[in-house]
Amino acid sequence: FYLRGVTRDLHADLDEAISVLDLADEGDYRAFLRIHACALLPLEDGLERGGVAGTFAPWRAHSRRSALMRDCAAAGIDLAFAELPAIAGASRQMGVLYVLEGSRLGGRLLEGRAKSQSGRNAFLRHGRGEPLWADFLSHLERLPTDAATQRDLAEGARLAFGIYGAAA
């Protein structure tokens, strides 16, 4: 609830920017994939360089990079994205993951709107049927609740929302 509260406006702005896209339209769907590529790919790369696999053991199951890259290739999208510094520290990483995992949940809602994009929607289907959100929450809830942890969680979530917002 803390992260939802401190990122409410950023989340609403991002939802508004993406909601204008008609995912049944090929051009809009390509734009949707490009937005995610410009945000998710550098965020996941920064998390990996920051050692996320050591702080969040199920990282490999949560990463959507490969699925997104396959969809972009199938849609003819050339991938070029800015590199971020390593995202280190469990709390900051969990803040970033809050946004990435929330994006996965949002993708479930959008999947039906992209049915016509078969062969290019592995990203939206990634992790379907797996308890990835619950898995993430169980790790998040084990973090301390002190002010420094909350500050780092918020910093990570704001970083991720900011990158997504710039991409959108």
Side-chain angles (χ1 to χ4, degrees):
F1 293 111
Y2 169 73
L3 284 173
R4 186 184 323 167
V6 299
T7 61
R8 186 177 320 276
D9 292 343
L10 294 169
H11 192 174
D13 291 346
L14 181 58
D15 282 350
E16 183 178 331
I18 290 179
S19 71
V20 301
L21 298 173
D22 175 3
L23 300 187
D25 176 81
E26 185 174 339
D28 279 5
Y29 190 69
R30 286 172 49 91
F32 173 80
L33 290 175
R34 197 173 289 110
I35 289 167
H36 282 283
C38 288
L40 182 133
L41 297 176
L43 286 167
E44 284 200 5
D45 181 61
L47 286 169
E48 287 188 359
R49 285 186 293 103
V52 72
T55 58
F56 184 60
W59 165 247
R60 294 284 173 231
H62 287 256
S63 174
R64 293 183 288 165
R65 175 190 337 220
S66 294
L68 179 56
M69 291 173 72
R70 281 192 310 273
D71 287 350
C72 286
I77 297 170
D78 293 325
L79 296 177
F81 56 89
E83 185 175 299
L84 295 176
I87 301 169
S91 299
R92 192 163 186 239
Q93 290 171 349
M94 293 303 281
V96 170
L97 285 168
Y98 169 77
V99 176
L100 296 180
E101 291 302 313
S103 164
R104 181 194 316 278
L105 288 178
R108 296 286 179 268
L109 300 173
L110 299 175
E111 187 178 349
R113 294 174 36 199
K115 283 185 182 179
S116 63
Q117 307 299 334
S118 66
R120 297 183 292 205
N121 58 7
F123 172 69
L124 289 174
R125 293 188 332 266
H126 184 272
R128 181 195 287 170
E130 297 177 36
L132 296 176
W133 178 252
D135 181 41
F136 164 72
L137 284 181
S138 74
H139 282 78
L140 180 65
E141 290 170 353
R142 282 186 247 148
L143 291 176
T145 57
D146 60 274
T149 300
Q150 288 187 338
R151 181 194 65 236
D152 291 346
L153 281 166
E155 182 181 303
R158 287 182 184 124
L159 168 71
F161 272 121
I163 290 170
Y164 260 105

